[in-house]
Amino acid sequence: MSRHLLGLTSVLALTAGTASAEMNFNRIASFATPANMAQGEDQSRETSPEIIAATADGMRLVYTDSPLGVLGMVDITDPANPKPLGNIALEGEPTSVSLIGTKALVGVNTSESYVAPSGHLAVIDIDTQAEVARCDIGGQPDSIATAKDASFVAIAIENERDEDLNDSAIPQMPAGTLVLIDTPEGVADCATMKVVDLTGLAGIAGSDPEPEFVDVNGLGEIVVSLQENNHMVVVSRDGEVLSHFSAGSVDLEGIDATDERGALRFTERQPGRLREPDAVKWLDDDHFATANEGDYQGGSRGWTIFHKSGEVVYESGTAFEHALIQIGHYPDKRSDAKGVEPESIETARFDGTPMVFVGSERGSIVGVYDATDPANPQLTQLLPSGIAPEGIVAIPQRNLLVTANEKDLIEDGGIRAHVMIYEYQDAPAAYPQLTSAGTDELIGWGAISGMVADAQTPGLLYAVNDSFYGYQPTIFTIDATATPARITEALRVTRAGAPAQKLDLEGITLDGNGGFWLASEGRTDRVIPHALYNVNAKGEIKQEIGLPAELMAVEERFGFEGITKLGDTLWMAVQREWGDDPENHVKLVAYNLETEEWGAVHYPKAAPAKGWVGLSEIVAHGDHVYVIERDNQIGAEAVTKKIYRIPAAEMVPAPLGGALPVVSKEEVRDLIQDLLSLNGYVQDKVEGLAIDASGTFFVSTDNDGVDDHSGETLFFSLGGAM
């Protein structure tokens, strides 16, 4: 096998903005939290960074890790190269952390049952890793915030409900409270502990307040969200309730509120949806922002700015969720729940501009807002995060922003939990790389698989989604000359006027008559046929071609992944070995449209270092046929993510059922560094490849419909090809 590599300098990220100076946040590093486990520890254990804080100098991060029962620490002296500082074991489950100097104040849950909650405040010296103080706080802590002058700490004691009891209805005793403790020199003085009674305030289960989150403003006033009670409380430094009010509701329009098993239809409404705020942060001494996740009977899919008197100053409504829909981060399986679920929130000033950062737990995005006018904040960026951002900390003195992303998919062999670091820099925004923004109607998308380029217009591409959206198979038109690339149209694939069923579209090519040939991967155990479909310019299926008996006799689950047209012949890449294939060889299957004859050649693929290696795309261009060869590994485990080319002259099919010729291959591009260009982790599913009329290569990844996935879609150009 020869190597013919494209230089990395030819990468043209479709995110380069104008040449003028522009400040944006861009991700500069990702830190996998298993790296904090000590040598010899079982790194297959689940780890989950949740609430995160930074030292005053911004050089170290501390985060809670509930599954491990530890505080994790990260050295970000060089923020682009974070280094593990190890874990500090705690006697219980850490739920929240705040820092005063080098003292970490940690809420630790030690509850043995819902009816007998318990917990303590642990003060840890992060230099010596010793516990220097402990206060019994009489219940289950859920959130901690320290005063800006470091004089006291406020702790939300949730005493959460048992969701399996009485259909999860509240009240369920004991009630939650707010605890205030003085912190001279950063060490809690347990003797000063004051318990603030919050019962009798909320209109919903007022006897059972469940405090969720706290924050302290410059006046020493504490804001507390009572999430399940849909109520907000403002308390003085002395424990006096200064104001309290219902968090209210929102009339949601243009949402998908039904579990439709794979179709994005934003035509529904939910009037009077309770906000039920989770995280809350002061924007200034008079205003605070809430992330309206919902946990009981509500969740309004957005975020709100309140005046501390109770006035709603700003309500995002569905605007935040719609922004995520446009960049492919909408989690369709959460449609019947709370959509993108904003859960975390942070506020800070960067270069004098007040900003709000809103984290979507289910969409795995952080929205960046300019809140110069609290009544009209402007969405300026959407930052890709790890799966389920739970905590956010801003470090404006170093122009840094950090997210703690709690989801660890180790049990499923997936990506590990991460802390991600962003820098506010004079540079274009690097993400998103693909969006449907700017269309007349809201276009949701995800799980992009096969691609093809228009034969005449440079930068005009078409892509299909896979079976994750089984009730909405779609051909997307993409303008790849825009920055970012833009989806301009969604053409639904139909059969007899209805959305075509039983498809798993993994490949698309032009038919030469204004329509397309589509390859469906098929899966017999789900009654999804392996097949080819010819659709016209309206998306109507006009012809269906099933596989011949010779192929069906050796069928396996992993079928066609990509389709291309070479003369009168359609060529399809079979992802993995079928029953009659030699080890590490897969078929490139041919179907002659004129003679209706089938045939194939064998393609020699790499032996997997772990998992499996297969093909994900096939494209004919010039004198070669190009394929994507990849393993099914993600993150640090990824080895094979490559583009190879095959001489078109060798694509001479032999009859099925007998010996097949083996084609040669030549490596054109190792995509690993391209997949790391956004300083995240290597995505597993590199599935789209298109070569446009000018010879420019475009590559895309499949985000699995944001199901156990961060939703991040990479879409980039490799420039001119070989």
Side-chain angles (χ1 to χ4, degrees), residues 283-358:
L283 183 60
D284 53 39
D285 286 342
D286 294 316
H287 302 90
F288 55 80
T290 62
N292 304 326
E293 177 205 25
D295 191 48
Y296 184 45
Q297 297 174 333
S300 61
R301 305 185 180 214
W303 68 284
T304 308
I305 295 178
F306 289 94
H307 189 276
K308 62 185 179 183
S309 65
E311 174 191 359
V312 173
V313 175
Y314 168 78
E315 169 55 50
S316 73
T318 56
F320 179 64
E321 180 166 276
H322 283 188
L324 270 66
I325 291 167
Q326 291 172 334
I327 65 167
H329 278 256
Y330 181 75
D332 186 47
K333 286 190 175 181
R334 301 295 300 175
S335 289
D336 61 340
K338 294 163 287 186
V340 299
E341 286 189 36
E343 181 177 20
S344 51
I345 206 156
E346 172 68 307
T347 58
R349 285 181 175 267
F350 283 81
D351 285 349
T353 301
M355 295 186 181
V356 179
F357 305 91
V358 183

